[in-house]
Amino acid sequence: MKLRELLAGLEVLSSTADMETEITGVSYDSRQVKPGDLFVALSGYTVDGHRFIPQAMAAGAAAVLCQVPPEGVETPYVQVPDSRRALAVTGANFFGHPADAMTMVGVTGTNGKTTTTYLLKAILEARGEKVGLIGTNQNMIGQEVLPTERTTPESFELQKLFARMRDAGCGYVVMEVSSHALFLDRVYGVHYKAGVFTNLTQDHLDFHETMENYCDAKALLFRNCDAGVVNAADPWTPRLLRDSTCKVFTFSSTGPADLRAEDVVLSEDRVAFTTVCQGARVPVQVNIPGHFMVDNALDVLGAALALGIPLEESAAVLARVPHVKGRVEVVPTPGKDYTVLIDYAHSPDSLVNVLTTVKGFAKGRTIALFGCGGDRDKAKRPKMGRAAAEIADLVVVTTDNPRTERPADIIADILPGLEGTDTPCQVVEDRVEAIHWAMDHARAGDVIVLCGKGHETYQEVGHEKRHMDEREIVAAYLR
């Protein structure tokens, strides 16, 4: 592709590059540059890619796309106002604007994104559609599973994934859109048929610093979609919609909304309710327990309506959808009279949701085992400790993904949240040993909730991902 074609739609401030140069690839990591590539120098928050322009040229880059012209080196360059947005545009150009060939649905919020995308994918597939899915658990092209490193990939990888989905015959893409992705322009230029807002609770403040900034990042989705399906009961919704440009459709499990729930019945393995919309009343059942699942089901039904799918049709599919991995997932414990659940809860609100759900059906004690991720929002650590202590009957504090922090330091940040409560607490730093301890001390009817890892089958220690699947840990210990 000619450099001129690759830059279509970009504002060029200055350039020394020949626009007829043939470009064979695009890279934003100097270590991955191949001869003939366009190297995009990203202004990062920890590392500035402009520093690596000499390495990229030495590796054979044909030209550089940058915000700041290179100094002290003869380099064919193109200067643009924003290299992150430029990466997204060049990615779309390079792969032939694949998102334009499919119907895009984006889901944002603190909790519930993964469940929402899986349920909506099931509804679309029941209509015979081939669906691409992008999110925290995994990426999927129809039924083909692709591994994922982050909730929303970097923009060039995202466009590449869109192209694979388009070429495989996908008519729809249902994707989680993280606040990081929105703020860092990973989805810049992508237009959505429907955008969904699940909720906003404390998380990622290590990056956004304030809840207002966190909300404003989420709000960007609703300036790039035709219809916004939003949680009417969430206190952040008015701010989220302040500069929105889309048609708005509200849902709520607790109050007035365009789509609301009545006659809610909670069971240990499902939720059931009547959804009410414009005078229609449709019974709904979802095979995942917890009141929070009522909201998840409502946002799915709302998104389906925005895509032209009747309530009755969507509800019929929801009743048949199996459990989502890592979300209130039952781990087999043959021969034992207690239950082990795995859930991805890793924020104060999500911890409250899952523990409240379990407390509602546990015949014995609710045992909460959790830690907090290293190199992430420290302010939520004592809040998670408080949430666990106020609901659970026994708390086991351990590690999650410590990354570059000392596990003992993370645990020390959690424990003040338990002070002043009567809830027994056991600290076991090693997570495998903590699971063993909880199983050893479980009684008949108890429910052990392993919180934080969910679908993950690894633990991040330092900069290394080490295999750790809690399903395997439980099974091995029982053997």
Side-chain angles (χ1 to χ4, degrees):
M1 177 178 282
K2 302 291 187 184
L3 180 59
R4 168 179 45 81
E5 298 170 326
L6 195 59
L7 301 180
L10 286 177
E11 178 187 359
V12 175
L13 300 179
S14 65
S15 175
T16 62
D18 181 355
M19 292 296 167
E20 296 304 308
T21 301
E22 192 67 34
I23 302 296
T24 56
V26 177
S27 179
Y28 54 91
D29 184 338
S30 61
R31 297 165 297 182
Q32 305 297 324
V33 170
K34 298 179 177 62
D37 279 2
L38 174 69
F39 175 65
V40 183
L42 298 181
S43 295
Y45 286 82
T46 54
V47 178
D48 187 350
H50 290 77
R51 290 171 43 197
F52 301 100
I53 290 175
Q55 291 92 319
M57 296 308 297
V64 170
L65 190 62
C66 55
Q67 284 180 221
V68 181
E71 293 183 3
V73 58
E74 290 293 327
T75 302
Y77 74 85
V78 178
Q79 182 189 10
V80 293
D82 189 318
S83 56
R84 283 196 168 274
R85 291 188 173 184
L87 179 64
V89 172
T90 56
N93 288 338
F94 190 81
F95 293 107
H97 298 272
D100 294 347
M102 300 175 288
T103 299
M104 309 295 295
V105 181
V107 181
T108 198
T110 307
N111 303 312
K113 296 188 297 296
T114 298
T115 301
T116 296
T117 56
Y118 273 77
L119 295 178
L120 186 55
K121 180 175 185 283
I123 289 171
L124 290 167
E125 288 176 337
R127 310 190 104 212
E129 301 287 352
K130 187 166 186 178
V131 183
L133 181 140
I134 300 172
T136 307
N137 274 20
Q138 59 196 8
N139 298 329
M140 300 181 73
I141 301 177
Q143 300 309 308
E144 179 188 0
V145 176
L146 309 174
T148 181
E149 290 294 321
R150 50 167 63 126
T151 299
T152 314
E154 186 56 81
S155 60
F156 191 79
E157 276 67 40
L158 185 62
Q159 293 293 338
K160 183 177 181 180
L161 183 56
F162 287 160
R164 287 187 62 180
M165 292 175 172
R166 174 199 60 197
D167 295 346
C170 291
Y172 289 81
V173 174
V174 181
M175 63 181 292
E176 298 179 46
V177 188
S178 68
S179 57
H180 291 70
L182 288 158
F183 184 78
L184 295 173
D185 288 318
R186 292 178 192 157
V187 292
Y188 180 75
V190 179
H191 188 78
Y192 296 89
K193 178 75 171 177
V196 178
F197 171 61
T198 60
N199 50 58
L200 196 77
T201 61
Q202 184 175 337
D203 204 3
H204 305 304
L205 296 193
D206 54 303
F207 181 82
H208 295 291
E209 297 184 346
T210 68
M211 287 296 292
E212 287 75 13
N213 291 344
Y214 185 26
C215 179
D216 293 346
K218 298 284 190 189
L220 294 172
L221 177 62
F222 300 93
R223 299 174 208 168
N224 291 289
C225 63
D226 294 333
V229 180
V230 301
N231 189 341
D234 193 284
W236 290 97
T237 294
R239 184 183 181 101
L240 182 95
L241 296 176
R242 191 169 53 189
D243 297 316
S244 66
T245 57
C246 60
K247 178 182 178 182
V248 175
F249 187 83
T250 60
F251 67 88
S252 176
S253 63
T254 57
D258 298 319
L259 185 68
R260 66 184 191 275
E262 294 182 358
D263 308 322
V264 176
V265 177
L266 306 178
S267 305
E268 65 181 47
D269 60 347
R270 71 193 64 179
V271 297
F273 61 93
T274 300
T275 184
V276 182
C277 181
Q278 297 177 343
R281 299 178 64 85
V282 178
V284 178
Q285 177 181 300
V286 185
N287 300 313
I288 303 174
H291 193 279
F292 62 93
M293 270 308 304
V294 179
D295 280 328
N296 282 169
L298 287 173
D299 69 43
V300 171
L301 294 169
L305 279 173
L307 297 175
I309 305 172
L311 278 175
E312 294 84 357
E313 183 179 330
S314 298
V317 178
L318 291 185
R320 303 193 300 266
V321 176
H323 230 87
V324 178
K325 184 177 181 181
R327 272 62 180 176
V328 202
E329 177 187 349
V330 178
V331 182
T333 52
K336 296 298 180 181
D337 50 10
Y338 57 79
T339 301
V340 177
L341 300 177
I342 290 177
D343 192 83
Y344 191 50
H346 60 284
S347 67
D349 185 66
S350 59
L351 200 60
V352 167
N353 284 340
V354 69
L355 294 179
T356 301
T357 296
V358 172
K359 190 81 170 177
F361 64 73
K363 295 180 175 63
R365 299 173 301 170
T366 298
I367 302 174
L369 183 150
F370 77 100
C372 291
D375 305 330
R376 298 294 187 267
D377 181 9
K378 294 185 178 182
K380 73 178 183 180
R381 293 173 183 175
K383 294 180 181 180
M384 289 185 66
R386 173 64 61 173
E390 289 181 345
I391 302 172
D393 301 296
L394 172 62
V395 174
V396 182
V397 179
T398 183
T399 55
D400 191 286
N401 291 317
R403 300 184 179 90
T404 64
E405 286 194 67
R406 291 178 64 244
D409 292 341
I410 299 173
I411 290 171
D413 288 340
I414 295 171
L415 293 178
L418 288 93
E419 292 176 0
T421 71
D422 297 327
T423 307
C425 174
Q426 181 72 25
V427 175
V428 184
E429 186 173 302
D430 181 274
R431 191 169 179 105
V432 176
E433 292 179 7
I435 294 171
H436 294 169
W437 188 94
M439 294 170 69
D440 285 341
H441 290 80
R443 305 170 188 162
D446 286 354
V447 180
I448 303 169
V449 191
L450 309 181
C451 303
K453 300 298 291 175
H455 61 280
E456 294 178 355
T457 56
Y458 59 83
Q459 185 176 48
E460 291 185 62
V461 181
H463 297 288
E464 177 187 359
K465 283 188 176 181
R466 302 176 182 175
H467 180 77
M468 189 181 77
D469 187 329
E470 293 182 330
R471 301 155 193 79
E472 296 174 2
I473 292 168
V474 171
Y477 198 60
L478 289 176
R479 287 196 296 268

